Amino acid sequence: MSAARVLGPAGYADFGVALAVSVLVAIVWPASAGSAVVKYVRIAWGGDRPADASAVLRHLLGRLVRFLAVVTPLLWAGSLLVSSGAALAWGLLLMSWGYSLQTFGRGVHLATGQLLREFVLQATCGVLALSALAIIELRDDVGPGVVALVYGGAMSLCGLLTWPRSAPAGGAAPPGVDRFVWLAAVGSLASAGFVQLLVVAGKLRFDDHEAGVLSAAANLASTLTLASAATSMALYPRVSQLVGRADDAGVRRLRRSVFRQLVRYLFWALAAFLVLAPTLVPLVLGEAYREAVEPLSVMALAAVTTTVAAPSVAVMTSGPNRSVARMSGAAWLGMAVGVAVWGLAWLGDLGGIGGVASGFALGTAVTATAAIAWADRVTADRLLPTWLLVLAALALLTSAQALAGRVGWGAPAYVLLAVSMGAWAISRRC
C-alpha cells in the first residue's frame, strides 16, 4: 500500500495493472505447481513412498524453469507493445519472476513441513519491500516504472531465497501430475485471477483516478485473504495426507471442524472491519482514496466467503483430477456470473466501481457455494444449508454497513443488522 501513497490514484492505475499481470503469470503455472507439490508429496508420504515425493519435486522444478523461459520474452514484448516504457517492462518481469518463485517455494515448504521457514521468509519479504518503497517515498517525482522496478527487485530477491534444495534421485512422479497442474491452473485463473481481471477491467472502463482507487481497494482487500491462505496452508497438507491414507472419516471430521470454527469467528471479524473501514482506508492509503471504502467493504465480504469455503476447496483439490476439474468449472461459473453483473451495470451506467466490486463478490459467492456443495457429496456431509444461512448473514451485514454510510444508522440499517445477527446465530445451531 506504500505504492498507492507514493503514486496517487492516477499513477497507481498503471502500476496496479502491471501487478495484476505479474500475479496472473504466477497463477498460470507456478502456483498450481506449488499446490501439486503439496498434494503429491503428502500423498506419497501418506503411502510411505518418500522416493516418489522426491521425484515429484524434481519433475515440477524442471517444468517451472521451462515455463519462465517461455513466458519471459512474451511478457517483455507485450509490455513494450502497449508502450508501458522500459522501466515498467523490467518491473513487470521482476515482479512476475518474484511471485512465480515465491508461490512455488511456498508449496515446497508446506509439503515438507517447513512452516517456520516459510513464515520467516514471507516476513522478511514484506519488510524488504516496504523498506524499499519507504525510501523512494521520500522523492516527489517517482513514476509507476520506478516503483515497479523497486518492488519487483525486492520480490525477485525473496523468490530466490525460497528456491528449494535439489531433491535426491529415485522414485517416479505419478502420471497425473501435469494434468492436475493444468486443471488447477484453469480453475485458479477464474478464482484467484478474478480479482486481477477486476483491476484490468477497471483500467479499461474508468478514468485513471477511479481505476487507481479500484486497484488500490482490490490490493488492500487481497490482504484480507491472508486468513484464507493461512487456512489453506494449515489444512491442505493434512487433507492430502489423509487422502493418501484413504481416511475418509478423518477428512470429513477435519472439514466440518474447521468450517465451524471459521463460521464462529469470521462474522464478527467482518463486522469489526466494516466499522473500521471508513477510518482505516484514509489512514492506510491516504485521503485521495476515501472513495475506496465502498468497493473495499464489498470485497471484504468476498474475502470472508473465500475463507469459509477453504476447507471444502482443500477436500476437492486433494481428491482425484475429476474433483479438481469440478472445482475449475465452479470457478469459471462464478467468474461468468461476476462478469455478467459488470456488463449489466455498465450497460445501465449503474454502480460505478462499487458495481464492479459487487459483481466480484457475487461471483465469489457462487464459486464458494458450488465448492461446498461438491465437497458435501464427496464427504457425505450436509454443510450447505448452514453455509447458505452464513452467506445470507454476511450479505445482510455488508448491506447494513452500506446503508449506514449513505443514510446514517437509520431504521433500515438497524433492521438488516439485526436480521444478519439472527441468521448467524441460527447457522451456528445447524
Side-chain angles (χ1 to χ4, degrees):
M1 292 301 104
S2 293
R5 300 181 71 93
V6 171
L7 296 172
Y12 193 77
D14 289 332
F15 173 79
V17 170
L19 183 63
V21 171
S22 66
V23 173
L24 282 172
V25 169
I27 289 171
V28 168
W29 207 91
S32 298
S35 297
V37 171
V38 177
K39 175 179 177 177
Y40 286 100
V41 166
R42 283 287 178 162
I43 288 176
W45 282 6
D48 196 22
R49 301 187 305 275
D52 289 354
S54 296
V56 168
L57 181 54
R58 288 197 313 275
H59 175 79
L60 292 174
L61 271 173
R63 290 284 195 268
L64 175 64
V65 172
R66 294 176 197 173
F67 171 81
L68 292 177
V70 170
V71 80
T72 294
L74 296 177
L75 281 175
W76 176 258
S79 183
L80 292 182
L81 281 175
V82 296
S83 301
S84 300
L88 195 57
W90 278 111
L92 172 61
L93 284 180
L94 290 172
M95 287 191 292
S96 299
W97 293 337
Y99 277 116
S100 296
L101 294 176
Q102 283 188 60
T103 53
F104 185 81
R106 183 178 301 120
V108 175
H109 292 148
L110 294 180
T112 54
Q114 300 180 77
L115 297 182
L116 179 59
R117 186 171 190 266
E118 174 65 19
F119 172 78
V120 171
L121 283 172
Q122 291 303 317
T124 303
C125 292
V127 171
L128 182 61
L130 287 174
S131 300
L133 290 173
I135 292 172
I136 65 172
E137 190 175 359
L138 301 175
R139 298 183 57 184
D140 298 327
D141 57 345
V142 174
V146 174
V147 173
L149 276 172
V150 172
Y151 185 74
M155 291 297 98
S156 292
L157 177 58
C158 293
L160 291 173
L161 293 176
T162 65
W163 188 257
R165 301 180 183 91
S166 59
V177 171
D178 289 334
R179 178 173 171 79
F180 169 86
V181 173
W182 287 116
L183 286 172
V186 168
S188 295
L189 281 173
S191 54
F194 194 8
V195 69
Q196 315 308 327
L197 178 62
L198 176 149
V199 172
V200 175
K203 174 67 175 175
L204 296 175
R205 177 65 176 82
F206 304 110
D207 60 35
D208 284 346
H209 176 82
E210 289 181 304
V213 168
L214 180 62
S215 179
N219 286 323
L220 185 56
S222 68
T223 63
L224 303 177
T225 62
L226 291 175
S228 176
T231 301
S232 298
M233 285 176 65
L235 195 62
Y236 192 47
R238 178 60 178 160
V239 172
S240 296
Q241 195 158 356
L242 290 171
V243 169
R245 295 173 180 170
D247 187 355
D248 296 338
V251 171
R252 181 169 57 252
R253 285 194 302 270
L254 183 60
R255 174 186 176 236
R256 175 173 281 270
S257 174
V258 176
F259 175 86
R260 291 198 174 280
Q261 291 297 319
L262 292 173
V263 168
R264 179 173 299 175
Y265 297 113
L266 287 183
F267 177 88
W268 297 111
L270 178 62
F273 178 80
L274 293 178
V275 170
L276 293 173
T279 303
L280 185 65
V281 169
L283 179 65
V284 174
L285 299 177
E287 287 293 332
Y289 292 91
R290 187 171 287 276
E291 299 166 62
V293 172
E294 181 179 349
L296 177 61
S297 299
V298 177
M299 285 187 276
L301 169 63
V304 172
T305 300
T306 301
T307 304
V308 177
S312 299
V313 174
V315 168
M316 294 299 292
T317 53
S318 297
N321 281 342
R322 65 176 178 273
S323 296
V324 182
R326 287 169 180 165
M327 273 308 309
S328 295
W332 281 95
L333 174 63
M335 190 174 75
V337 169
V339 171
V341 172
W342 295 351
L344 292 174
W346 292 345
L347 286 173
D349 198 20
L350 301 172
I353 58 176
V356 177
S358 298
F360 172 72
L362 181 59
T364 302
V366 169
T367 299
T369 302
I372 291 171
W374 277 118
D376 271 356
R377 293 186 60 181
V378 170
T379 60
D381 209 344
R382 281 182 53 80
L383 294 182
L384 183 61
T386 304
W387 162 246
L388 294 176
L389 278 170
V390 171
L391 184 60
L394 294 171
L396 288 169
L397 183 65
T398 306
S399 299
Q401 191 260 6
L403 276 176
R406 294 189 179 190
V407 301
W409 281 102
Y414 278 118
V415 169
L416 286 178
L417 181 61
V419 172
S420 64
M421 292 178 67
W424 175 81
I426 294 171
S427 71
R428 289 195 58 197
R429 297 182 178 274
C430 290

